[in-house]
Structure formats: structure tokens, C-alpha cells
Amino acid sequence: IKHPRFKIKASLLAFVQSIKTKPCNIIQHALHHCFIPFCIFHPECPPMGLEGLKIDDFQLHGSTTKRYGLGAHRGRLNIQAGLYEDDLHDGAWCAGIDDPLQWFEVDARRLTKFTGVVTQGRNSLWSSDWVTSYKVMFSNDSHTWKTLKNGSEDMIFSANKEKEIPVRNVFPAPVIARYIRVNPQSWFGSGSVCMRVEILGCPIRNEVITTDDLDFRHHGYKEMRQLMKVVNDMCPNITRIYNIGKSHAGLKLYAIEISDNPGEHEVGEPEFRYTAGSHGNEALGRELLLLLMQFMCLEYLSGNQRIRHLVEETRIHLLPSVNPDGYEKAFEAGSELSGWSLGRWSNDGIDIHHNFPDLNSILWELEAMKRVPRKMFSHLPIPEWYLSSNASVALETRALIAWMEKMPFVLGGNLQGGELVVTFPYDRTRSQWVAREQTPTPDDHVFRWLAFSYASTHRLMTDASRRVCHTEDFAKEDGTINGASWHTAAGSMNDFSYLHTNCFELSMYVGCDKFPHENELPEEWENNRESLLVFMEQVHRGIKGVVRDLQGRGIANATISVEGISHDIHTAADGDYWRLLNPGEYQVIARAEGYSLSTRKCEVGYEMGATRCDFTIGRTNLSRIKEIMEKFNKQPIRLSARQLQAMRSRREFSKLKVGPNYQ
């Protein structure tokens, strides 16, 4: 054995040779005084499951991609391609650029003992693409990477000589990390950087230790406010602190905005929100949002391109404590003694999350009577009784509604606790007196995708081997469920947001323990960090655009309708809009009062980024006449159909009378 950092005596070498078939830890014990940085003999770990689909698409990433059908999700060992070269289901991951800076990444979602890599080339009837050598890199945070070394040099593994026969390379010693990258260094001369991969690795069940340098502790109201101020001071150019109102006890409901132009709505830029703590004793969501704002500030300053893109292309609002009064009660008791419900309700005993007007019943009643006008497809009005001063509505709920009506939110998530699942509307069953019933919205497919985007990137939600929190095994349903099919609840924030505003709102139940001990916060952050980011990125899925008049001015409150989906959204003050949709082709209609409608086909692709779909609509003749009449303080003349026909006949006769053949 040769290594530049130490020398081993012949007798020790003989001992190693005599026990080389025994478990690796025996050798490590014998040689630990020599500081050997790797184990000479080690058992090989089984495949992690790229081929067997135990690793899902959200865990696979590529530096660049040639096109969607050759994305990282197709970089699975033995995956087969479609018949045609441009098929959406092609036979490998292929980099968009052929150079040695490209990489294929797997996020194991937990600390893992990696022992090797298996590679293939691209499965294709028409192309010959395979990688002939590569390096391997590891990370615990996806930002700082270390390349596997052979002494002082980067270790380069020989890979494939043709595209179908798998080639396995076992590492000299196991490496423990969360992330692994395969970094191609050379490839077949007339081909491209393309590969199919399987990773050999064993999960480490020990406590996850995060590498993020964040404030992992529970924060009372004053400490929360101070932490938000620290974040604002660190990142003054991309953050703004404001409040949306006060609690029953007079505590301000603070929010922080993260944007490249804080305080301004930029035309074409979608607005996103996370809220937490509507149930004051569910403290984990509150701390996750405080960690998220720290993380985004630090990563923006460090030049993380993913975070910079989010900040520059999205206006993000984080409201960590909807019910600060309830939280203070639970915080005073402590994480171990607050129980299941202390601090859940507002100071006046109201469940804030289910304190919104029940618009579902109004809509379904009208549908039953077949009296649903087009304008009722969205933005149902709030009933008058709910707006009265003596209605049982919490101050916090009124503040939330005013905030939701003021900001043109597109997508939102409210963080809850006590379970591991993502729920989506509707939350109320359509059938009366039924406790559980699948009750989908017209956008059910979109909601299911949004829910899955969070659940599938969470480290535990879709783990079928984990124990259930209480009685429900949500992992069998991919960690998501329609709210009404779990348990019916009238007046939820999710249903209200969908029926009264443009915003699609979901609930994320982020942990079995509502108020975990702060020693557990680093692990809970690791569980949720990627999910929080991925869900935010979904705000850029679907179509977006601006509705303008013939003079190029944006039209506020114009209606955007999608054929086949009985749910409309409205444009913001500048005429811009965002409509969340899954990939596909859609007939989209723009209409506004006093304007002619306009229809166009809009196509949503699989790549991240909303498709631009602008509209220009002109005024109707009737609206022009009304405008002229109002300008001169006159009312438009209303004539019957018979009178209008008589006027047309006289006009045509007059034209004939003055013609050249008139005698």
C-alpha cells in the first residue's frame, strides 16, 4: 500500500492481507492510528434505484439539457428511448453543451454512503453517444463540492466503449454525502455528452447535520422581529419588512418581501406567498420561513444562481406568524409541554385557517339552480353578512383577506403541522353531511401537480418505509391528498383564495411534531429546504402576458378564460396576468367590459418558465357611443329593433335617390 501521508510496516501489511475478506471496520480499527483517509476493503452498496424508480425525477438534475426529452429525468440506467429522435421520452440525459464542465447530479435527500457508479451511453436507433471517462464529486449542501481524489490528483474513471453495455466503477473507499455528481471528461468522438446512470449507495440513518449557517432555534415575537431586521440589514437591496395588520392582542403581523425591486409590483413578474402559524402552536412552519429568509439572503449574496433567478424573476412574500398571540402561549409552555392544542386558536377563540367566508356553498347552490353567470367562474364576492362588524371574524383573518385582495398573488402555500402531507382544494365536501369525499376543483390536475412538486422533493413525505405520524399513511398517495377527501372543512383559506382571488393556495403539513425541540430544527430544515424552493419555482409554470387596448395601455380587471376549464382569472392593475397550467395546448380568451373579446392558442411546454401569451383588444362600438354620450352629458338613444330597421331602410333609399339614374 502506498500513500504520500504515511508508511506502513511489512508486518502490518501482512495483517491486512490476512483479514482482507473480513468487514472493513476491522481494518479501519487496525489502521486508525495511521490516518488512512479511505478504507481498503469495503462492502459494495446496492443500487439506489434510478433504474427501479426509487429515485424520483425531482432528485435528478443536470448542468444543462439538450431538450426536455433528454433531460436529467431520462438519465436512468437501462431506460429505453422512443422510436423518434425528438421523442419526449428519449434514451438518456444529454448535456446542452459538449464540454468537461457538465454534470449529472443525484440528490439522495439524506446522508448516504456512496460506493460506486454504473454508466451507459444513450439508447437510440439513430445516434451514437456515450461518455468514455468521468470524475465524481460530492456535496452535503449542493453548493460546495469536492472531487474524489487519487492522492493529490482528481480521480478519473474509465467509462463506456459503446452505448449499451453497462460499466461499473467502485470507489476506493465509501464516501458519505447527500449529493453526488458525475462529471464527464471525455466522450465518443462523433457523439455528444450523453449518459444513463445508476448510483451505488446505502442510506445513513443517523441524524442529518446541515451545513447551512442559520439561526436554528425557536424565536419569540421580539426575537422574530429582530431576526427579520437582521435579514433586512444584510440584504437591504432585495428585502422589505412590512405588516399587514394586527392580532387581537395588538401584535403586528410582519411579512418580509424578497425581490430585486422590493416595494414594487413589476409588470410580468408573478407574486408568491408563504404563510405560517395560523395555528399558533404549529411552530415548525414559522421557523422554516425564518430559516428560508435567512437562507435566501445568504445564498443571494454568495452568488447562488438558482436563488438569484428566483429573486430577480419573482416577488416573494413570507409571513411567518399569522397568529402570534397563539404562538406566544405555546412558546411560553415550551415545545415539550405545549401539547396538541395550546395556542392553536386566536385570542378570541377562532381557528384562523377556517375562518374565511364559505364561498363553496354559494357557488354550488347557484350551480344546482343553473344560475352561474360567466363572471361567477372566479372572484366570487364576499357575502354582506361576513363584512358586518358583529360577524365572528378574527382581526387576523380580516387582515389576511385585505392582503390577499391587494396583492396579485399567483401561488401560495400555508405551512401547517402535525402531519406529513400536502393538501389541495377543495377542502369542503360538496355533499352535505359527508365527512370525506373527493371534491375536485376545475383545476384539479394543476393542483395535483403543485402538491406533488412539494411532497416529492420532501425527504420523508413520499418515503413508503417511514412510519405514519398518527393513523393515515399518506405516503401511499405520494404524500398528497384532496383536502375534502381527508376531512371536510368549510371556510378554509385554500378554498377562499381559489374562489375569490387569482391565487392557487395549498397547505403543507411539514412535520409530525407541531412544535419540535430546537435540536431537531436542522434536520427539519433539511427535510423541507428543497421542497420550499421547488414549490416557489412552480409559480413560473403555465402562461403569462399582458392584455392591452389598441393604444398599448394595460387593461385592469380583464378576464382570462381557458376553454374547457370553468375557472377564470383577472388581470392586475397594469393589465398583466399569470395562469397556472400543466403542459399542453389551450384556447385562451381575453375579455373586458366595453371591449371585444380575443381568442388565441397558447402552448405550455415542459420546460420551466411560463409561456408568453399577450392580447390586444379593441373597444366595442356600443362602448364608444356610451363614452361619447357621457362626455357630452347625454344619454345614449335606445331604439327598438323595428326603429333601427326603419332607419336603415330610409338611409338606403336616400342613397338611391341621389344616384345618377334617379329621375
Side-chain angles (χ1 to χ4, degrees), residues 199-213:
I199 303 296
L200 307 179
C202 310
I204 302 296
R205 297 295 180 183
N206 296 338
E207 181 182 358
V208 176
I209 301 174
T210 183
T211 58
D212 294 328
D213 186 15

Side-chain angles (χ1 to χ4, degrees), residues 333-382:
S335 63
E336 310 307 316
L337 300 176
S338 58
W340 188 251
S341 60
L342 178 63
R344 175 183 175 87
W345 298 279
S346 67
N347 257 13
D348 47 351
I350 293 174
D351 183 335
I352 296 172
H353 185 68
H354 299 108
N355 188 220
F356 293 82
D358 178 14
L359 302 182
N360 306 56
S361 298
I362 296 172
L363 175 65
W364 296 335
E365 210 173 297
L366 290 169
E367 285 180 348
M369 295 186 293
K370 298 183 178 179
R371 291 173 52 193
V372 184
R374 181 83 221 181
K375 65 181 180 181
M376 295 291 284
F377 280 9
S378 67
H379 292 218
L380 272 68
I382 297 174

Side-chain angles (χ1 to χ4, degrees), residues 58 96 146 163 194 263 278 293 346 401 441 458 463 512 537 584:
F58 287 94
K146 291 186 178 180
K163 58 189 178 183
C194 296
S278 58
M293 62 182 71
S346 67
I401 290 175
T441 67
H458 189 280
D463 184 355
C512 299
E537 290 168 337

Side-chain angles (χ1 to χ4, degrees), residues 641-658:
R642 183 177 296 177
Q643 288 173 313
L644 290 171
Q645 183 61 42
M647 287 177 63
R648 291 192 193 99
S649 299
R650 285 197 296 272
R651 194 178 298 116
E652 291 170 3
F653 179 75
S654 297
K655 290 178 182 178
L656 292 171
K657 186 175 180 180
V658 297

